[in-house]
Amino acid sequence: MGIGFLLLRSKKPAAKAASLLPRIVLPRNDVVLYAVGDVHGMLDPLLAIENRIIRDGERFDCPKIVVMLGDYVDRGRDSARVLEHLIQPMPQGFRRVCLRGNHEAAMLSFLRAPQRGLGWLEIGGEATLSSYGLDIRQLMRSGGLGSREAASIIESVVPEHHRAFLQSLPVMAVGGDMVFVHAGIRPGVALPKQRDRDLLMIREPFLTEGPRLPVTVVHGHTPSIVPVKLGNRICLDTFAYSTGRLAALRVRGNRGAFLHAP
């Protein structure tokens, strides 16, 4: 059975829109939803949690959707291989939906204009470029990032299909009364009016107000050793690049359960 998605678009002119990035609606009937927290360049934990999900999902005779919550790159050593894996399809009966995290946004900014996106290097981008075989420090010593040659080298190491994947990532997925985002949502603001920056970056007042929101928000971005469930806020960022562990949430109907790997 195929799994369809509805693309949400703002009705406002682009210059005034709260969102310039895509948002999608997930089916909630006759599906099992899984969500996975921040990967941060850790391929082995990603493969382990996916295997755990696949084994778990084989029990259910319906489509399974795996929602990845963003931050696939930076800090860990395997960012390039993580992206390559995420681009590939899952086994029959499963479909993966990848959301955008603030680290993907920062990587794209750097790739578009290295000199203006140097902040990305300070939050883990150096490790990501290293995973593509590029020594960014050596490149900076040999002439900086403003030259055409440097820009050409950076462009050449990141495959076009990786760039296209990053650019295609939506910032929010909504399924019934559940919202999947990277960082969270701004309390008191209707979902269609949520701003991209908040969905990618917010902490407060979301972390405090999240438990009392009228929808269940599943997110990453704010790390903890174990998944955090506080009322209607569920965080799945488990410091993968430090702990070597990823967590997932399974939702079927109104019931949820955490999965862990390894």
Side-chain angles (χ1 to χ4, degrees):
M1 180 185 298
I3 304 171
F5 299 93
L6 175 65
L7 181 66
L8 296 180
R9 298 187 183 277
S10 173
K11 296 181 180 179
K12 299 179 181 180
K16 298 181 180 179
S19 172
L20 299 177
L21 298 172
R23 302 154 187 227
I24 60 174
V25 175
L26 303 172
R28 282 287 277 127
N29 296 325
D30 301 320
V31 298
V32 178
L33 297 178
Y34 294 89
V36 178
D38 306 37
V39 177
H40 277 303
M42 301 295 289
L43 181 62
D44 288 343
L46 173 59
L47 297 178
I49 196 67
E50 280 198 353
N51 287 335
R52 178 77 176 87
I53 288 170
I54 291 167
R55 293 196 307 270
D56 183 80
E58 288 172 347
R59 303 184 292 126
F60 303 108
D61 187 22
C62 62
K64 278 78 65 172
I65 303 173
V66 180
V67 182
M68 305 295 299
L69 297 174
D71 280 8
Y72 316 117
V73 300
D74 300 348
R75 296 183 174 140
R77 65 183 183 182
D78 289 325
S79 291
R81 294 170 67 198
V82 165
L83 292 183
E84 186 64 29
H85 175 76
L86 292 175
I87 290 170
Q88 307 308 314
M90 292 192 73
Q92 185 175 0
F94 292 83
R95 178 162 177 182
R96 186 191 292 114
V97 174
C98 294
L99 301 181
R100 183 180 309 224
N102 62 296
H103 283 258
E104 286 75 54
M107 181 176 177
L108 279 171
S109 294
F110 178 86
L111 293 176
R112 293 186 189 111
Q115 264 196 324
R116 296 199 297 271
L118 288 175
W120 176 56
L121 301 179
E122 299 174 4
I123 61 171
E126 186 175 341
T128 295
L129 292 176
S130 179
S131 75
Y132 286 100
L134 179 63
D135 184 343
I136 190 64
R137 291 183 181 271
Q138 176 61 35
L139 184 61
M140 293 173 73
R141 286 194 295 268
S142 64
L145 297 178
S147 68
R148 288 185 179 179
E149 181 182 3
S152 177
I153 292 172
I154 293 168
E155 183 176 359
S156 69
V157 300
V158 180
E160 178 57 35
H161 66 289
H162 285 199
R163 292 170 178 261
F165 172 75
L166 294 171
Q167 291 167 351
S168 72
L169 298 175
V171 288
M172 180 168 64
V174 181
D177 60 354
M178 299 196 71
V179 179
F180 299 87
V181 291
H182 175 63
I185 65 175
R186 184 162 294 279
V189 177
L191 289 181
K193 296 183 179 180
Q194 293 285 332
R195 295 191 174 276
D196 293 338
R197 179 173 176 79
D198 285 334
L199 302 178
L200 293 171
M201 297 288 292
I202 196 169
R203 286 199 166 97
E204 295 297 348
F206 166 71
L207 297 178
T208 299
E209 296 295 326
R212 297 184 288 275
L213 292 170
V215 293
T216 298
V217 181
V218 183
H219 67 101
H221 188 59
T222 300
S224 177
I225 298 299
V226 296
V228 174
K229 184 182 186 306
L230 292 173
N232 282 349
R233 180 173 74 79
I234 302 172
C235 181
L236 297 175
D237 183 349
T238 54
F239 267 123
Y241 62 92
S242 178
T243 65
R245 297 191 301 272
L246 280 170
L249 172 71
R250 182 225 300 141
V251 179
R252 188 185 188 202
N254 293 323
R255 299 180 69 111
F258 290 117
L259 307 177
H260 300 270

